[in-house]
Amino acid sequence: MEPLAKELEKLGNRATLAGTVEDIENVIDQLKEVRSAVESNPTQAPAVLSKAQQPATKSFDSAYAKLKDIHGGLNKYQKVVKEKFKETPLPFAEENAVSSQVSMINRAIAMHLLREGLFDVASTFIAEANAHGPAPVQPTDKTNAMDLDQPNGAANTHQEGRISHDSSWINDFSPSAFKASPLQEQFGEMYSILRELRENRNLLPAINWAHLHSEVLDARGSNLEFELCRLQYIALFTSDRPGEGRDAALTYARNAFPHFNSRYQTQIRQLLGAVPYAANLERSPYAQIFSAASEFNTAAAAAAAFTSEFCALLSLSSASPLLTAITAGCIALPTLQKYDQIKSKHQTSWTTTAELPVEVTLPPAYSFHSVFVCPVSKEQATDHNPPMMLPCGHVIAKESLDSMSKGQKFKCPYCPQESHPNEAMRIYL
């Protein structure tokens, strides 16, 4: 990547449009002067135009020369990019796994657009998908809301201002029904609250939403409502605006914190313990708690926590599954391309459909499921070869268990204890 970085640096140094813009602005100023002169004295128009021709031509030539230098730099950079990233066919191009799932892909895209708050784009996409694409597959017992990244097949609608579970929005895949879609309304509410959080640092809409859903959030073990109230207290305590400050923070604490006293007594004591140090908070033992630089006190952290809980109540992940899948695919693509080249060269094939032909290492953020590798066979467990726990507590794969026991009592490969294969218990990952 070093040649690419060097060429990009060269391009940045030489490819500037400032000089070209200045030349064009000079031409515009000259033309304005010519127009004023012609309007004031039309009889002198030929002489004025003749006089202005040479300066205008000179400015245009200067602009073209500078643009030529920029285009030259772009062409060199383009050549370096092509040399570095040579065109290669995508792996498994002959096996298009999604060609028969157009409706599912369309719904995944529409869901992603809704999640990103691009409601107008989503509406246009859905209308065109209905007009030109295959009809969406209606949910059945086997095909349910999971096609749209719902982990439990349930979506949600408003009911008296609260989030409840209802899968009717899956059928709202038409332009007429779309505008009244409860899912769009809920994501609209989420982005409205996020806009207040990020742009105005206004925590009250998020606090009101968390209070409205406090029972569900408490049942989930969420601390969102308290964290938002904590941030509101800190914002009031450290503010010097009229109507805010230490007294306003104490008034807010008397109203908001009693509700959290049973679960967050220690944190509340720390927040209130800073009151005597208000005049010199930076040198107090509570400086870190009230620091604006703390990662726990930023609007970004509050927005991320709110988004996660809001989506969780909709039975959705906080990140778009479509974006997650595409990002993971982009990370895995170089490895799969290399495998495809080796496969073509050696005329080999991969026959196992339940797993990838090669191991692809993804960042920890993309690990959503536990993985078990049998210590005996060194193979990854699958649904057909699940992990089995022996009475002694050691775990091996079922195929290893069958191979070692042959239906009879056998000794654990990692300790002296003997057991019968019927005593082994399956572990569900």
Side-chain angles (χ1 to χ4, degrees):
M1 297 294 288
E2 187 176 350
L4 190 62
K6 287 183 178 179
E7 200 61 38
L8 181 60
E9 184 179 357
K10 291 180 183 178
L11 181 62
N13 293 333
R14 68 189 294 185
T16 172
L17 292 173
T20 304
V21 171
E22 184 179 353
D23 290 331
I24 298 300
E25 288 179 347
N26 290 336
V27 172
I28 293 174
D29 292 339
Q30 293 169 11
L31 293 177
K32 287 181 178 179
E33 292 176 1
V34 169
R35 182 178 64 182
S36 300
V38 171
E39 288 176 349
S40 60
N41 190 0
T43 58
Q44 297 294 322
V48 172
L49 291 174
S50 177
K51 184 179 179 181
Q53 184 176 1
Q54 185 176 356
T57 303
K58 185 177 180 181
S59 296
F60 276 122
D61 290 342
S62 176
Y64 288 143
K66 293 171 183 175
L67 285 175
K68 185 178 180 181
D69 188 48
I70 293 175
H71 285 303
L74 288 173
N75 289 334
K76 289 182 179 179
Y77 181 70
Q78 186 177 10
K79 289 179 181 178
V80 175
V81 171
K82 286 184 176 181
E83 290 176 1
K84 181 63 180 177
F85 303 102
K86 296 180 180 178
E87 293 185 8
T88 55
L90 293 177
F92 314 125
E94 72 279 3
E95 301 171 7
N96 192 343
V98 299
S99 60
S100 60
Q101 304 291 339
V102 177
S103 296
M104 183 180 70
I105 299 301
N106 284 344
R107 282 203 270 175
I109 295 173
M111 188 68 181
H112 173 77
L113 294 172
L114 282 174
R115 293 171 64 99
E116 295 297 312
L118 303 173
F119 303 126
D120 293 339
V121 180
S123 179
T124 302
F125 174 80
I126 291 172
E128 293 186 2
N130 285 329
H132 306 293
V137 179
Q138 296 298 327
T140 64
D141 293 338
K142 296 182 179 180
T143 304
N144 54 30
M146 292 181 69
D147 290 341
L148 274 172
D149 82 7
Q150 298 281 14
N152 61 356
N156 307 269
T157 57
H158 282 291
Q159 187 175 8
E160 298 181 358
R162 297 176 182 268
I163 290 179
S164 60
H165 295 277
D166 181 10
S167 60
S168 61
W169 64 270
I170 302 171
N171 298 320
D172 296 342
F173 207 73
S174 63
S176 58
F178 176 79
K179 291 185 178 180
S181 169
L183 193 65
Q184 178 183 342
E185 294 175 8
Q186 293 194 2
F187 276 120
E189 179 188 13
M190 184 185 81
Y191 276 99
S192 174
I193 295 173
L194 286 175
R195 194 158 42 246
E196 288 295 317
L197 264 174
R198 291 167 175 163
E199 298 178 5
N200 304 324
R201 199 172 171 79
N202 181 9
L203 294 160
L204 294 179
I207 293 174
N208 293 336
W209 181 91
H211 182 70
L212 184 65
H213 299 88
S214 59
E215 292 183 7
V216 182
L217 293 172
D218 289 343
R220 283 175 39 81
S222 170
N223 64 344
L224 176 66
E225 186 180 5
F226 173 73
E227 284 299 314
L228 292 172
C229 290
R230 181 184 69 83
L231 290 175
Q232 180 67 8
Y233 173 82
I234 291 175
L236 291 172
F237 193 92
T238 56
S239 175
D240 56 359
R241 291 183 293 185
E244 298 181 358
R246 182 181 60 180
D247 293 339
L250 288 174
T251 302
Y252 178 80
R254 293 189 190 100
N255 296 327
F257 286 164
H259 172 66
F260 306 105
N261 193 50
S262 59
R263 286 184 62 186
Y264 304 102
Q265 190 177 75
T266 302
Q267 293 90 324
I268 292 173
R269 285 178 177 176
Q270 292 175 341
L271 292 169
L272 297 179
V275 173
Y277 299 91
N280 194 16
L281 191 60
E282 294 79 7
R283 297 185 180 182
S284 73
Y286 307 97
Q288 183 61 28
I289 298 176
F290 287 82
S291 173
S294 172
E295 62 177 325
F296 302 105
N297 296 342
T298 62
F306 171 77
T307 301
S308 178
E309 293 298 338
F310 194 102
C311 291
L313 264 61
L314 290 171
S315 299
L316 299 172
S317 60
S318 57
S320 166
L322 181 64
L323 178 61
T324 301
I326 291 176
T327 305
C330 291
I331 295 173
L333 190 58
T335 302
L336 296 178
Q337 283 182 315
K338 187 173 182 179
Y339 162 76
D340 195 52
Q341 294 171 1
I342 296 174
K343 185 186 73 170
S344 301
K345 182 178 179 180
H346 296 280
Q347 299 296 316
T348 58
S349 61
W350 184 256
T351 57
T352 302
T353 58
E355 59 187 52
L356 288 172
V358 290
E359 183 177 354
V360 176
T361 302
L362 296 176
Y366 293 87
S367 298
F368 302 102
H369 305 284
S370 300
V371 175
F372 174 77
V373 177
C374 176
V376 177
S377 64
K378 311 301 181 186
E379 293 181 355
Q380 184 174 316
T382 63
D383 290 339
H384 301 292
N385 183 28
M388 306 292 292
M389 185 173 68
L390 306 178
C392 60
H394 292 111
V395 181
I396 59 177
K398 187 175 185 306
E399 290 181 358
S400 299
L401 173 66
D402 295 340
S403 175
M404 296 176 62
S405 66
K406 295 182 171 47
Q408 300 177 356
K409 206 168 187 180
F410 72 104
K411 186 175 76 70
C412 172
Y414 287 93
C415 72
Q417 184 171 338
E418 293 185 353
S419 60
H420 194 276
N422 292 337
E423 297 175 326
M425 297 176 60
R426 176 175 177 176
I427 295 179
Y428 293 88
L429 299 177

